Amino acid sequence: MCATLRLMRINFKVGHFPHFPATSYTSQLLLLHSHKTLNPKVSDFSTSSSNYSSNSLVSVKGFDFLEQFTPFKSPAKNCSNCTVITSNERRKIVVGLSKMIKDEKGCILEAFSRDFCPSFLVKIMNLFDDREVAFAFFKYAVQDYGEATMKGCCISAHILAAGELRLLAQDMLSWIVKRVGKCRSYEVVEFMWREHYKYESDFSVLDSLMRAFLTAEMVSGALEIWSRMRDNGLRPSSSAVGILFKLLLRIGDYGSVWKLLRDMLRKGPRPTSNLFNVMVLGYCRKGRLQTGESLFHLMRKFGCEPDVFTYNILINAYCIRGWTSHASNWVHMMAEDGCSPSICTFSTIINALCKEGNVVEARKLFDGMQDVGVFPSTATYNALMDGYVKAREVFQASMLYEEMKKNGVAPDAITFNILVAGHYKYGKEEDGDRLLWDLTVAGLSPDYLFSDVSIAGLCWAGRLNEAMVLLDNLLEKGIPVSVIAFNSIIAAYSKEGLEEKAFEVYNIMVQFGQTPSASTCSSLLLGFSMTGRLQEARDLMAKMITMSFPINITACTVLLDGYFKKGDVMGARTLWEEMEKMGIAPDAVAFSALIDGLVKAGSVGDAYDAFFQMLRKGLVPNNFVYNSLITGLCNSGHMYEAQKLENDMRERGLLPDVFTINTIINGFCKQGRMKLAIDSFVEMQRSGLQPDIVTYNTLINGFCKAFDVVNADNFMKRMYASGLEPDITTYNIWLHDLCSTRRINRAAMMLDELVSAGVLPNTVTYNTMMNTACNDILDRAMILTAKLLKMAFIPNTVTANLLLSHLWKQGLPQRALIWGKKLTEIGFEFDEITHKILDKASHCIQEKADYCTETTEKSLFLDFLMYITYDFLRRSRAYTDNNDSSFELVEDGPCGSFKLVNKATV
């Protein structure tokens, strides 16, 4: 995305100010300091200039609108100044400044802009009447951190604290500490401590400094302030202690936690239930569940009774680890201790049961909680709805949505995303489209959901550019946009493999003050996994864990699936072991990905072991798990075990679907046991399942391989009678049968028929006919090849293998080796079959067997086909190399932003 558009996205467009018309007030605002800036014409800020953002004006015209209000020279030339505030903050600052000028306060602005003065800074910040806007103005206006400026800022903080604006003073101090860094932070402490008694008490200044260091996440500075408080006989506030403990636990400094707790027990303040909750939560998040439990029992010794939050923290920790039965025991203990479970308690258990695939038990708990007077919230409905969708029970999810509306529970954008995803993946797309229409076009969504739902709707419809334009407009107009809207665009870009754009949207999200959620992290990882950049994905996950981002099982599952898709089974196994070490318990979806990946890698035995491990953990396998295992068993010829697993599936209340029966039919067809395949087909119809095109293609292919053309024709007729039309797979089956029985003319006619029917040939079609052409007489082979070239023939590895094989078989092993060398030079990846062909050709030459050395018409024909294949593969490889650059993830700014840097350009 071009630099101008990026600037326009993250900065305010001046021409869009609805509260800032070109009036005399505007002129006064612009003309305050003609000695400092060139005075542009007022028309430069009219609607005609709406194509420029405020920051683009800096670069294009050398003028930053806000520069005239700061006492420091040309801050706009400093790139960091353009990023310390967002476009929305810039808008609010300008609106506030224009109001000051309208209220005849321009003299204060003028005085401050000429020379930095602490009292004028405080007056201006007070005039904004909004803490966030006042703080944003401070960040922009004060960009010099010399000794004199720091002293002035400290005086301003004292004045604000004395005027009962301690929170704003703490914002200022945390910003200064963060900007000057650890090495100079002691200067801030000394400046604040000197003569502080003129403005505020010892406790007030030290408490503000401690909170400033905590906000800046400088633990060492906060601990030094703690020591200074003790030296002055002061007690830290309980709320500040809670923040300090939370930060220490997050970075894993457990020694300091226990040291401070002992200090509190001796000198105060006494630990509260809230502080113990912070500690229990911190240890549970680090996977130290046993320590969390010990703290639960310890808190009673210090007069602190566990509350509903304490129980919920432990219940959630057990659920995250997959120990739902233990979590349920804690709910019973909670009730016995006289602590009533909250809606959060029930929602946590319901969500855990749904992730295990146990939707039936989740529904029972959902109904039971209402019997005891606890009514479900939006989050509860979402958890159960998501469970239904993941179990592919989209109809039940839709019924729950109607129940939700009937009970007056307002859906949110997450509800909408769950339902639309369910309809698109497992239901009917038209139902998803209808829901999109109702919520986005017909305006049935609540006003507060409009932005989130509209952006998500455009993403689901594949209209990403429009979604991005809508997001830009909403941000520019100051309309609140939640993390859900950002996540929708990030996920959509990631699914398309456009990870750079996904990170661009992520950085905008961070700049607008949104905290990344677990869904954000999973979507960013998905972008790398989709394009096979697994090393970058691992690096990203490591950085996210370091920065305490909410990494959950979904993120790990995305990465696990990426490893299997790339064929890196060892990498997938390593990740699975690391998940256990990190205390991330696999859910039903993670086990599904593991089992399916192992089956596709040919490790059916390991997949079966994972299946039994899943059952031991109390997780409920769904149709996808059973289908994966049945596929693996059928492919390895273990039909008895496959049928046994199908019966087990029925006993567990899961009904085999069309995919299940098709897999079993295909297994019997591969073994030539056509009678049993027909029996499965009949049983399929008897159970109410409708055979699809895959069913008929499987049976037709089975009969063709058994040389039973009569039954193959019969099933072709039954397919037409059921209202199904042949697809490319059907045609390929018949083409292969015709070619293998040397009915070349009939095959050529069928090739014309499929094109006339509007069916597009695929690589299998091309390779089948190409193999026939190589075996046929030259004249007819050339005619057939011309047909294929006219259809935009696309060669692949199979094409290269069959041509190399024909060169060897027709007495041209030397030509096969020459072409093999050429393919190696362009980075063509040989498979096992390619190596075998080239080994046979080399062996043939070494034994000096009889082979053709003269150039014949047939050898020229084969060379011609080989050259077409080689040229296509070479050009495809060059395109892939140019577009498959390796990226490095680097931190970009102090707010948790990232950017992707192409390693080739570094």
Side-chain angles (χ1 to χ4, degrees):
M1 198 169 295
C2 64
T4 304
L5 184 57
R6 187 178 298 110
L7 281 172
M8 291 171 65
R9 280 190 179 164
I10 62 176
N11 295 289
F12 170 68
K13 292 181 181 176
V14 179
H16 288 177
F17 271 133
H19 305 292
F20 196 51
T23 63
S24 60
Y25 294 109
T26 309
S27 303
Q28 185 181 359
L29 192 60
L30 295 174
L31 293 171
L32 275 174
H33 303 292
S34 58
H35 67 281
K36 292 173 60 178
T37 59
L38 293 174
N39 180 22
K41 296 179 181 178
V42 176
S43 60
D44 288 342
F45 292 88
S46 66
T47 310
S48 62
S49 65
S50 62
N51 289 332
Y52 298 94
S53 69
S54 55
N55 278 2
S56 64
L57 280 170
V58 173
S59 59
V60 176
K61 298 181 179 294
F63 172 77
D64 181 2
F65 178 75
L66 292 180
E67 180 186 347
Q68 55 194 311
F69 301 106
T70 173
F72 304 102
K73 303 297 182 182
S74 303
K77 293 177 183 177
N78 183 357
C79 183
S80 65
N81 216 48
C82 302
T83 58
V84 293
I85 58 172
T86 66
S87 58
N88 196 33
E89 288 174 332
R90 180 182 290 267
R91 169 195 299 277
K92 291 178 179 179
I93 290 171
V94 174
V95 171
L97 292 173
S98 62
K99 185 175 181 298
M100 292 178 205
I101 294 173
K102 189 180 291 186
D103 294 339
E104 299 182 353
K105 304 292 184 183
C107 57
I108 300 174
L109 294 171
E110 183 176 3
F112 174 71
S113 63
R114 283 181 178 164
D115 189 25
F116 178 75
C117 175
S119 59
F120 282 136
L121 175 61
V122 171
K123 286 180 181 179
I124 294 170
M125 293 174 76
N126 274 317
L127 288 171
F128 277 109
D129 292 328
D130 184 279
R131 174 186 161 193
E132 290 183 4
V133 183
F135 180 46
F137 175 78
F138 167 76
K139 289 191 293 183
Y140 181 88
V142 181
Q143 286 293 305
D144 175 78
Y145 300 104
E147 184 176 330
T149 306
M150 283 176 61
K151 285 181 181 178
C153 290
C154 290
I155 293 171
S156 298
H158 282 313
I159 297 171
L160 287 169
E164 298 184 353
L165 292 172
R166 280 190 61 204
L167 293 178
L168 186 53
Q170 289 164 18
D171 290 338
M172 287 179 59
L173 291 172
S174 66
W175 179 257
I176 296 169
V177 166
K178 189 183 295 184
R179 300 297 279 190
V180 301
K182 184 178 179 180
C183 60
R184 292 187 62 203
S185 60
Y186 72 92
E187 296 179 32
V188 180
V189 176
E190 294 307 317
F191 291 151
M192 287 296 292
W193 188 250
R194 290 178 194 170
E195 300 183 353
H196 69 275
Y197 55 87
K198 295 180 180 178
Y199 305 96
E200 53 184 324
S201 66
D202 292 356
F203 173 80
S204 176
V205 67
L206 290 175
D207 184 63
S208 293
L209 283 169
M210 176 180 276
R211 293 176 186 276
F213 279 111
L214 291 173
T215 304
E217 298 191 351
M218 293 184 181
V219 178
S220 58
L223 291 175
E224 287 177 14
I225 299 298
W226 178 293
S227 299
R228 186 172 287 215
M229 280 185 145
R230 292 305 193 196
D231 293 341
N232 286 274
L234 300 172
R235 292 180 175 182
S237 67
S238 295
S239 57
V241 171
I243 299 170
L244 176 57
F245 273 45
K246 187 183 296 184
L247 185 56
L248 288 169
L249 288 164
R250 201 184 84 190
I251 63 176
D253 189 355
Y254 307 119
S256 295
V257 170
W258 292 108
K259 181 181 176 181
L260 294 180
L261 183 62
R262 286 192 295 269
D263 185 59
M264 289 175 67
L265 294 173
R266 289 196 308 270
K267 301 177 182 179
R270 296 288 294 179
T272 62
S273 294
N274 182 59
L275 181 63
F276 274 105
N277 287 344
V278 168
M279 294 176 69
V280 173
L281 178 62
Y283 277 106
C284 287
R285 280 182 173 170
K286 288 294 184 178
R288 295 170 173 252
L289 195 50
Q290 191 173 0
T291 307
E293 272 194 53
S294 300
L295 283 165
F296 171 86
H297 297 296
L298 181 67
M299 61 191 295
R300 283 195 172 102
K301 293 182 179 180
F302 298 102
C304 299
E305 194 66 28
D307 56 17
V308 66
F309 299 105
T310 323
Y311 283 102
N312 285 345
I313 290 166
L314 287 166
I315 289 167
N316 183 60
Y318 276 113
C319 289
I320 288 173
R321 282 185 166 270
W323 300 342
T324 313
S325 58
H326 289 77
S328 300
N329 293 337
W330 274 90
V331 176
H332 294 304
M333 187 193 303
M334 181 181 186
E336 290 171 1
D337 289 346
C339 184
S340 300
S342 66
I343 180 61
C344 181
T345 314
F346 287 107
S347 297
T348 301
I349 301 287
I350 288 170
N351 184 53
L353 289 169
C354 288
K355 286 186 180 299
E356 291 176 357
N358 201 344
V359 189
V360 176
E361 287 299 319
R363 181 71 208 204
K364 287 180 183 177
L365 184 60
F366 180 85
D367 295 332
M369 63 184 276
Q370 299 178 65
D371 295 338
V372 297
V374 181
F375 296 97
S377 64
T378 303
T380 321
Y381 276 103
N382 287 346
L384 186 57
M385 206 176 294
D386 188 51
Y388 278 128
V389 167
K390 284 187 168 65
R392 306 193 179 196
E393 298 180 23
V394 183
F395 176 74
Q396 292 293 337
S398 299
M399 294 294 292
L400 186 64
Y401 174 63
E402 295 300 326
E403 179 185 329
M404 181 182 187
K405 292 194 295 183
K406 182 180 176 182
N407 291 334
V409 180
D412 60 11
I414 297 175
T415 318
F416 161 75
N417 276 329
I418 290 169
L419 282 173
V420 175
H423 286 306
Y424 278 177
K425 290 179 181 177
Y426 311 122
K428 296 179 181 178
E429 286 194 16
E430 54 266 28
D431 291 338
D433 293 338
R434 191 179 303 113
L435 184 62
L436 280 174
W437 173 270
D438 290 344
L439 291 172
T440 57
V441 181
L444 298 184
S445 62
D447 292 341
Y448 65 89
L449 286 182
F450 174 77
S451 58
D452 294 342
V453 169
S454 298
I455 289 173
L458 290 170
C459 291
W460 278 111
R463 294 153 63 183
L464 295 184
N465 290 338
E466 294 175 55
M468 200 64 230
V469 169
L470 176 58
L471 179 66
D472 286 340
N473 291 336
L474 292 171
L475 294 176
E476 287 167 3
K477 293 175 182 176
I479 298 173
V481 179
S482 76
V483 69
I484 298 170
F486 285 104
N487 284 347
S488 297
I489 301 180
I490 291 170
Y493 275 135
S494 294
K495 287 174 185 175
E496 294 293 326
L498 303 171
E499 65 275 8
E500 288 182 80
K501 288 193 174 184
F503 271 93
E504 188 176 314
V505 178
Y506 164 77
N507 289 334
I508 296 173
M509 180 185 84
V510 172
Q511 289 167 13
F512 274 84
Q514 294 288 354
T515 303
S517 66
S519 178
T520 316
C521 302
S522 302
S523 298
L524 291 173
L525 287 170
L526 177 65
F528 284 125
S529 298
M530 290 286 289
T531 54
R533 294 192 174 110
L534 298 176
Q535 187 54 52
E536 284 97 329
R538 290 301 293 268
D539 293 343
L540 173 60
M541 179 180 277
K543 289 194 176 185
M544 285 177 169
I545 291 171
T546 303
M547 299 176 72
S548 297
F549 280 16
I551 299 294
N552 61 5
I553 185 59
T554 306
C556 294
T557 306
V558 165
L559 194 51
L560 184 76
D561 190 53
Y563 274 115
F564 278 122
K565 284 181 178 176
K566 200 173 181 181
D568 187 356
V569 181
M570 186 57 67
R573 291 179 189 272
T574 304
L575 177 63
W576 188 264
E577 293 169 1
E578 288 177 2
M579 284 163 55
E580 188 175 350
K581 292 176 183 176
M582 290 189 291
I584 299 176
D587 57 10
V589 178
F591 267 106
S592 300
L594 175 67
I595 291 168
D596 185 59
L598 289 171
V599 165
K600 288 177 179 175
S603 302
V604 182
D606 291 341
Y608 232 115
D609 291 341
F611 174 72
F612 287 120
Q613 184 187 353
M614 180 181 185
L615 294 177
R616 285 194 298 271
K617 284 182 173 288
L619 302 178
V620 180
N622 56 18
N623 279 47
F624 181 80
V625 175
Y626 277 103
N627 287 342
S628 297
L629 280 171
I630 290 171
T631 300
L633 291 169
C634 289
N635 288 341
S636 58
H638 297 93
M639 295 306 300
Y640 174 76
E641 287 81 358
Q643 287 183 296
K644 188 178 176 181
L645 202 59
E646 183 199 356
N647 293 331
D648 179 65
M649 185 178 181
R650 294 179 190 275
E651 289 173 3
R652 291 181 180 274
L654 294 172
L655 294 176
D657 52 23
V658 176
F659 183 90
T660 317
I661 307 302
N662 285 347
T663 303
I664 291 174
I665 290 173
N666 185 50
F668 283 127
C669 288
K670 282 182 176 180
Q671 294 182 352
R673 302 160 73 181
M674 297 308 298
K675 184 179 183 307
L676 291 173
I678 294 295
D679 291 342
S680 297
F681 175 79
V682 173
E683 182 62 32
M684 175 186 192
Q685 293 178 307
R686 189 181 293 122
S687 63
L689 291 175
Q690 192 69 27
D692 59 8
I693 187 67
V694 177
T695 318
Y696 287 106
N697 284 342
T698 303
L699 287 164
I700 291 168
N701 187 45
F703 281 117
C704 284
K705 287 183 176 178
F707 304 104
D708 189 348
V709 182
V710 175
N711 273 317
D713 280 333
N714 287 337
F715 270 94
M716 191 76 178
K717 292 172 184 175
R718 292 179 73 166
M719 183 179 74
Y720 279 117
S722 67
L724 296 171
E725 292 291 330
D727 61 3
I728 187 57
T729 305
T730 320
Y731 281 107
N732 285 341
I733 291 167
W734 282 110
L735 283 171
H736 184 270
D737 180 66
L738 292 170
C739 291
S740 60
T741 53
R742 308 296 297 164
R743 290 179 286 175
I744 312 302
N745 290 334
R746 181 70 188 92
M749 291 172 61
M750 182 166 282
L751 190 62
D752 293 332
E753 286 175 19
L754 74 90
V755 174
S756 301
V759 180
L760 293 175
N762 61 13
T763 309
V764 177
T765 319
Y766 297 135
N767 288 336
T768 302
M769 300 307 294
M770 182 68 70
N771 187 48
T772 303
C774 292
N775 284 320
D776 202 12
I777 58 175
L778 187 60
D779 290 345
R780 195 160 57 185
M782 292 181 68
I783 294 171
L784 195 56
T785 303
K787 280 180 180 287
L788 295 175
L789 293 175
K790 191 176 180 180
M791 292 177 185
F793 162 61
I794 301 174
N796 62 358
T797 306
V798 178
T799 318
N801 285 345
L802 73 88
L803 290 174
L804 290 171
S805 177
H806 277 289
L807 285 168
W808 165 66
K809 288 179 180 178
Q810 298 192 24
L812 300 166
Q814 206 165 22
R815 301 298 302 163
L817 291 174
I818 291 172
W819 281 114
K821 185 180 178 182
K822 284 182 173 291
L823 289 171
T824 306
E825 291 171 354
I826 62 170
F828 177 76
E829 294 181 4
F830 291 167
D831 60 12
E832 189 178 348
I833 296 173
T834 321
H835 285 295
K836 285 182 178 179
I837 294 169
L838 294 177
D839 286 344
K840 288 179 180 178
S842 178
H843 185 69
C844 181
I845 293 174
Q846 287 173 3
E847 290 188 346
K848 299 182 179 180
D850 293 335
Y851 57 88
C852 181
T853 55
E854 61 183 32
T855 302
T856 63
E857 291 179 341
K858 196 61 178 277
S859 68
L860 285 172
F861 174 67
L862 289 172
D863 269 342
F864 167 70
L865 295 178
M866 196 68 230
Y867 175 77
I868 293 173
T869 303
Y870 164 80
D871 185 59
F872 179 85
L873 294 173
R874 179 182 58 81
R875 285 186 282 109
S876 299
R877 185 72 184 179
Y879 176 81
T880 304
D881 289 341
N882 288 334
N883 289 275
D884 192 25
S885 303
S886 180
F887 289 89
E888 182 180 3
L889 194 71
V890 297
E891 292 184 36
D892 183 28
C895 303
S897 299
F898 293 114
K899 67 178 178 181
L900 290 178
V901 178
N902 191 329
K903 290 181 180 178
T905 63
V906 176

